[in-house]
Amino acid sequence: MLRFRLYLISAVFALMFAGALYRLVDLQFNQSAALAAYRDQRLSHIEQKAPRRGRIVDVDGNIIAEDQPTQDLWIYPARVERVNRRRQVVSNLMPLTPDQMLAIAAARGDDRTFERGVAAAALAGANPLVADLAARLKMDREEVANRLIGAVIAARPASRDDLVYPRLAMEDIDFALALEIRAARANPYDDAMWNATEIRTGGKRVYPAGKLMGHITGTVGKLTAEEYEILRGRWDGDAAVPGTGVIEKAGRVFFSILSDNERNPVSDEELIVRLREIKRSGRMLKSQGYFANEIVGRGGMEQYYNQVLRGRHRLQRLRLTRDADTGRRRFEPKGDVEKAENGADLRLSIKLDVQKQAYEIMEKHIKRLAAEPRLAGWTPSGVAIMMDPYNGRIHALVSVPSYDPNTFNCDFTKLAGDPRLPLVDRAVAGIYPPGSVVKPIVGLAGLSEDVIMPGQKFNCERVMMLGGARFNCLGRHGWVDLESALMHSCNMYFYHTGEALGGRRLYEWFTRFGLGHKTGIDIAGEANGVIPRNAYTRRGWATGNTYHLSIGQGMATTPLQVAVSFAALANADARTARVVRPHLLIPPVDPQTPAEEALMHEALRLDQPVAEIAIDREAMATVRQGLWETVQGKPGTDEFGTGLYASFPAPGGGFLLEVAGKTGTAEWSRVVGGRAVKQTSHVWFSCYAPFDRPELVVVVFLPEAGGGGGSVCAPIAKELMRMWFNLPERPLPRQEEGTLG
């Protein structure tokens, strides 16, 4: 029996020894790689480095927007120490503890304003780092403390361990201070106060053209917390993954943070890195790869082409190490996960000198008009557009007033409260009744649909009655045909034409020429416009509605849409008029990268027309003749058109430049106390030149300026064309303004 017990005990010990030996062999040979990976995960984290944002240049290569290097101050909110063989997270921002910092980080909006204020006051009074930074940067201590606390709040750490990773605290600090901090961190025997900080090279977006290009370029800013939450989604385990970018591996679904292809297989190492990063803090955003606090475009081309301009971030693995001499713990680079790619440059069709002169011309005329007594209380504003009629490339796009994107973030509150609305790009996002500038389309539609005949005349007695309602004209023009009706902007002729066409056909012809819907310009924030048609009106459609629509009332378009419609009139050949897409992007000079190749193909696509309109050659010739007479007057007579002030008479007879154009004066009302009160009219002038071989479309619009498009806008358009075609200045005898509508 004793021997049996000895055998049994020996067998048990042998099994235990064999199990231990097997476990040691398994750990050494089979699981060593997995354990090493686990150790690396615990001691390292993935850090992103933003690339250089792409530049924006004009057609000649002049800089419109670019990044300039800055020295940014990053802070480590906490550090890791071992106390009594236990790992402990200790605050770098004493007297704040990690728990206090987490409480502040949990604050959303203004819910924890009091706690943040108390923390800032405590930091300002007791922390030597805050005191030194305030003295060096010549800032108030509480402001510095708020910046540091804000860095912690912006990151919203999910755990105490997350507080050991750096957070951006201050951007573009003094270069001398940045050098001092770098030197102090490199010196193991220097003051340890700067160990909580780090200097990294960042970038600041600058716009040399300032307000000249404010609406075109837009500006940049950081992702807000709300935008970040929307983009990031939430990790709810392997089965539920937000967003569209997913990766499947061994039957499990993982959230994609690096792959452009939603179901592109990845290596095991990349998969581990991605899964760990998502579970740890969820900083990656969907398949686009956005990061918290990343700089993104805000309005204009910065927003429209943000994905191209932002480039591809560099993801770097950092490993926690300890200095052998000083014992300091710090993160050191350990290989790259993904290399950075700088953003691609955008080359625009705009010439900066042309844009500058156009802006100065608009400002000069607007300032002169604002000084007139009749416009007391007017909000000075206006739009000027210069565009190629064949491919839609924009040479100048001016909206006054504008803003300086360099100071946008500092001046936002002031800009948002400005009654002149400088943040609104009136050329792209402003919708207004176009008035008589749509009459060429109505005349072309009437001839094409055979509801009026070439040479057919209507009698204008200045007033037409319809069911007790008065429909007026600018003057008593007598019997007029289409050319004379365009030259004098006679409403009566187009009332009859519009009535014969009907509301539905008017709607169809307006939309064919690009009115009432987005043009597709490559600037963020474009407006649609409104053109009613009788099938969608609540109260039915009356003849009076058709009358209003036929002279450009009761509808709303953007100035850019008017430019598109005139481009179609200008580029029409014997059978076809082409609707172009206005745009600013043109192909890069020498594409090298895939992004630049893509931009080249996109620019070539934008040059192509978006639609073609079948037209009658004789009808188009009649309309063009009317537009020619609007500016130059009727040949062989003393009659002049409403666009007289846009003409270029030559000293010996004839014209230096023949222009085809149309004036517009659009009435509108504002409801005050339940009653419609008539307001000062909007005024327009739209044209193209030269008449026989058009190469430029010009649209000038001044909201609520009154006085008639021919008197107010035509002289501005003339000055813009003189600048573009480099024509000499010659004064024109001034006619009666009241007849230039």
Side-chain angles (χ1 to χ4, degrees), residues 142-158:
E142 288 201 3
E143 182 180 354
V144 173
N146 271 307
R147 294 278 190 93
L148 300 183
I149 293 174
V152 180
I153 293 176
R156 291 185 182 174

Side-chain angles (χ1 to χ4, degrees), residues 313-324:
H313 282 58
R314 179 191 186 195
L315 301 181
Q316 186 178 51
R317 178 179 293 175
L318 300 181
R319 182 180 174 85
L320 188 63
T321 60
R322 184 186 294 274
D323 189 279

Side-chain angles (χ1 to χ4, degrees), residues 123 194 200 285 287 318-319 364 380 398 494 513 534 541 584 594 619 665:
L123 274 185
W194 297 110
R200 299 183 183 180
L285 308 182
S287 58
L318 300 181
R319 182 180 174 85
K364 178 183 68 176
V398 175
F494 295 99
F513 276 81
N534 51 11
W541 191 264
L584 298 108
T665 304

Side-chain angles (χ1 to χ4, degrees), residues 195-207:
N195 286 350
T197 63
E198 180 179 318
I199 298 297
R200 299 183 183 180
T201 301
K204 179 176 68 174
R205 199 68 165 170
V206 295
Y207 303 87

